[in-house]
Amino acid sequence: MAMTLDTTALDATETRATSVSNKRWQRFARPALGVVLPLTLALAWELAVWSGWSNGRLVPPPSRVFATIMELARSGELWRHITTTLMRVGAGFGLGVIAGTLLGAISGYWGIARRLLDPTVQALRAIPSIAWVPLFILWLGIFETSKVALIAVGVFFPVYLGVMGAILSVDRKIVEVGRTFRLSGPAMIRRILLPAVLPAYVVALRVGLGLGWMFVVAAEFMGASEGLGYLLIDGQQLGKPAQILAAITIFALLGKTTDWLIELVTAPLLRWQDAFRPSGET
Amino acid sequence: MLALDKVGKTYPNGVHALERFTAQIPQGEIVAIIGGSGCGKSTLLRAVAGLDRASTGSIRIDNIDISAPHEKIGIIFQEPRLLPWLTVADNIGFGLSELPVAARREKVAQALARVGLSDKAQAWPRELSGGQAQRVAIARALVPQPEVLLLDEPFSALDAFTRRDLQDHLLDLWADTRPTLVLVTHDVDEAVVLADRVLVMRPRPGRLFAEIDVGLARPRDRASPLFDAVKRRVLTTLDRSLDRDVPDSAPAETVGAWW
Ligand SMILES: Nc1ncnc2c1ncn2[C@@H]1O[C@H](COP(=O)(O)OP(=O)(O)OP(=O)(O)O)[C@@H](O)[C@H]1O
Ligand SMILES: [Mg+2]
């Protein structure tokens, strides 16, 4: 008995030690790996311009892009553009997610609803979403509402498809476990279906968010006086490539950050997953 | 008492999977069902579990008709079917959600100790070996204390050694509350080790072919000559059941003493 106790204690300290070093690796080294490539490219371009290899007029070096960002930030303009765009994406994403989740869940859960609803949704999906722009402008005006609507449409489809597909592919064997324990309808949804669809739902949310960012640019191209998309158009019309690149960089940062936020918030819910992890991940 | 009366099942695609299966299983008996592939064993078990409905006949436990899952019946499948998003402890407590938290925790802890997995309480199902996972499945089915526990080839995915271990384990657990066990298996050894009575089925359509009383005292010695004799009897019966030239030995209702 003492023997077994001892070895388990030893095991425990050992795993704790490895998990601590693992955590450190997770927190610092692994994200660092991801920035190696962009940093190298940026540095190479910077050197190319600096050494006179290129004049950097059409493709300004990172330092100039950075200076532009700082300038915009100092005048306070940058925050205005960022918050405007974020608000639009947030509102459109929220609406798209709510509608997509509701309709997707209904279509996935009730066969009749699916037969009734799904063909129409699929037909609508076949329309390139940008094609709605003129109609939305006519219906909703050129201000925020039409922009948010366009983003919501973009977010809606991947979320709808993701939720419906996830529900339809829930393993019958797992559902039977719920049945043998006589779960009621709501309990079955809460205790079996929801957790089972969660991983696919998170993926759908992330795809939806990506489309949200794509559509906010489209929306801001159609006549906006502020927002990051406006910065792009403005940079083009005034011939300021550094401003365009600045806006693009910020898009990249915001897109990545919001995506990472979804990942971060949902990670504790998905710890149980038994998924393929490429070597080097824990 | 689990009473199966002329239970039949025809699937919507026209497959006649089960015909007039009749058996009386007294409370606490261990019955093994054995038979060739496709002779309706799983079909029968799923009907008794209330997962599928029998097309004809009746299934009753203590005179209650079974047509949907019932609290007196538990089932263990060939795969553990643990819920991957719940820890081992939460999986075992899955059927106890009406109980107050403290009582549930105590029952789960007891069950974990009983199947020897106390140290795995907080592990995820993916971190278990096949045998451990199946032990969790057994614990999950047993904690609500069903009167009838159905097992559909529960150990067939495991190696011979683990299988033996789990058979002994199952007997231990059975001795606690003595539920009725109905066990489908392909393993004659397993049937003779565990069962009081072996029901042999034959296919097309699936029906009862013969029943054999094991009549060995417990604990059973796998190496004893008596054990061997019973095993041989089951094997010959099984062979006869698969031989198309052998007629049904008797009408299903009176098959008891065919030899
Ligand atoms: N869901 C289903 N729909 C249609 N036919 C089915 C279904 N399930 C089983 N069958 C058919 O019913 C018959 C009996 O199947 P069942 O699964 O009960 O056999 P079994 O005795 O459990 O076989 P095994 O030992 O291989 O598990 C088979 O012919 C099978 O093809
Ligand atoms: Mg089967």
Side-chain angles (χ1 to χ4, degrees):
Chain A
M1 194 62 215
M3 268 283 289
T4 44
L5 272 181
D6 277 350
T7 49
T8 46
L10 214 116
D11 276 356
T13 47
E14 219 167 84
T15 44
R16 203 169 311 132
T18 50
S19 78
V20 164
S21 70
N22 259 340
K23 283 227 178 75
R24 201 165 298 151
W25 159 250
Q26 263 172 4
R27 196 165 311 152
F28 303 109
R30 204 183 287 162
L33 225 52
V35 294
V36 168
L37 186 64
L39 271 190
T40 315
L41 287 177
L43 210 66
W45 187 242
E46 187 74 45
L47 281 175
V49 174
W50 181 73
S51 64
W53 236 52
S54 159
N55 63 14
R57 219 156 41 86
L58 281 179
V59 187
S63 57
R64 215 176 303 155
V65 175
F66 186 68
T68 311
I69 295 179
M70 293 317 283
E71 209 176 291
L72 283 168
R74 221 171 298 126
S75 68
E77 249 183 283
L78 186 63
W79 307 125
R80 194 162 53 88
H81 293 307
I82 287 182
T83 44
T84 307
T85 298
L86 271 178
M87 297 283 270
R88 287 170 183 157
V89 173
F93 181 69
L95 289 174
V97 165
I98 292 172
T101 307
L102 278 180
L103 291 186
I106 290 172
S107 282
Y109 197 73
W110 286 291
I112 301 170
R114 177 166 61 256
R115 253 158 269 147
L116 203 71
L117 202 67
D118 195 50
T120 312
V121 175
Q122 299 293 350
L124 288 176
R125 191 169 75 97
I127 303 169
S129 305
I130 309 285
W132 292 109
V133 167
L135 207 55
F136 282 173
I137 291 181
L138 274 184
W139 285 347
L140 307 167
I142 55 164
F143 298 110
E144 294 310 300
T145 324
S146 61
K147 294 185 174 59
V148 169
L150 179 64
I151 298 167
V153 166
V155 173
F156 170 81
F157 288 106
V159 174
Y160 169 85
L161 283 181
V163 170
M164 186 181 72
I167 293 179
L168 287 179
S169 59
V170 170
D171 191 357
R172 172 188 59 83
K173 296 181 169 179
I174 291 276
V175 175
E176 276 179 5
V177 172
R179 287 183 56 206
T180 51
F181 286 104
R182 299 175 316 287
L183 296 188
S184 61
M188 185 72 101
I189 291 175
R190 186 172 55 82
R191 299 182 65 192
I192 304 272
L193 293 182
L194 275 186
V197 303
L198 198 60
Y201 187 53
V202 171
V203 173
L205 286 185
R206 291 173 69 178
V207 174
L209 184 66
L211 279 165
W213 281 108
M214 201 164 110
F215 279 84
V216 79
V217 178
E220 289 179 345
F221 276 1
M222 61 190 207
S225 54
E226 48 184 15
L228 292 168
Y230 162 78
L231 275 187
L232 292 173
I233 294 281
D234 187 57
Q236 180 216 333
Q237 283 167 350
L238 302 181
K240 294 191 284 190
Q243 182 178 319
I244 298 180
L245 280 176
I248 287 178
T249 310
I250 293 167
F251 265 127
L253 289 176
L254 288 179
K256 184 68 199 152
T257 310
T258 46
D259 183 62
W260 174 75
L261 276 177
I262 293 188
E263 212 185 331
L264 192 75
V265 169
T266 54
L269 299 174
L270 297 178
R271 260 181 319 152
W272 52 270
Q273 261 193 305
D274 187 8
F276 167 66
R277 288 182 180 76
S279 57
E281 312 237 342
T282 38
Chain B
M1 172 80 100
L2 170 62
L4 309 178
D5 186 28
K6 304 193 194 83
V7 178
K9 171 84 186 177
T10 308
Y11 280 105
N13 64 2
V15 175
H16 195 173
L18 195 64
E19 187 179 77
R20 295 170 67 83
F21 189 102
T22 298
Q24 310 275 334
I25 304 174
Q27 183 60 34
E29 192 182 26
I30 305 182
V31 170
I33 299 180
I34 201 162
S37 186
C39 66
K41 304 182 295 292
S42 299
T43 304
L44 176 70
L45 229 56
R46 290 177 59 86
V48 177
L51 288 173
D52 289 333
R53 292 200 66 158
S55 324
T56 60
S58 73
I59 298 165
R60 306 174 134 248
I61 292 184
D62 305 337
N63 285 324
I64 306 165
D65 251 312
I66 302 297
S67 56
H70 192 274
E71 61 182 341
K72 291 187 174 181
I73 307 175
I75 183 165
I76 295 172
F77 302 94
Q78 184 170 356
E79 330 79 34
R81 301 200 186 179
L82 302 182
L83 304 176
W85 51 84
L86 296 181
T87 60
V88 166
D90 289 342
N91 260 291
I92 293 179
F94 190 79
L96 301 176
S97 51
E98 296 100 73
L99 254 54
V101 179
R104 180 173 14 160
R105 200 171 295 150
E106 193 188 312
K107 282 204 163 192
V108 168
Q110 269 172 14
L112 272 167
R114 206 69 188 79
V115 294
L117 289 172
S118 295
D119 55 330
K120 298 280 186 197
Q122 294 312 315
W124 298 111
R126 67 173 142 92
E127 295 162 342
L128 301 179
S129 72
Q132 291 170 337
Q134 198 59 305
R135 270 190 276 170
V136 175
I138 294 175
R140 177 178 66 185
L142 280 174
V143 280
Q145 302 197 335
E147 285 180 20
V148 176
L149 182 62
L150 311 167
L151 304 100
D152 193 354
E153 302 182 36
F155 309 136
S156 62
L158 307 172
D159 64 273
F161 186 75
T162 313
R163 198 180 308 161
R164 265 185 191 205
D165 185 43
L166 285 194
Q167 286 161 1
D168 295 343
H169 229 102
L170 180 65
L171 278 181
D172 273 0
L173 294 171
W174 169 79
D176 289 351
T177 55
R178 302 218 163 213
T180 305
L181 297 189
V182 181
L183 167 92
V184 167
T185 178
H186 278 140
D187 181 349
V188 175
D189 219 72
E190 179 166 287
V192 179
V193 168
L194 296 176
D196 299 314
R197 191 151 55 117
V198 179
L199 305 184
V200 181
M201 290 179 69
R202 78 186 315 192
R204 275 174 301 269
R207 59 206 188 276
L208 188 58
F209 176 67
E211 56 177 89
I212 297 166
D213 270 312
V214 175
L216 297 174
R218 298 178 194 278
R220 292 177 183 166
D221 176 6
R222 287 181 168 90
S224 78
L226 267 178
F227 186 91
D228 244 14
V230 177
K231 225 171 95 176
R232 227 168 349 213
R233 211 161 83 209
V234 174
L235 270 173
T236 36
T237 314
L238 196 58
D239 277 346
R240 284 163 52 85
S241 81
L242 296 174
D243 185 346
R244 284 162 190 257
D245 297 335
V246 178
D248 279 1
S249 43
E253 284 97 324
T254 58
V255 76
W258 64 274
W259 64 85

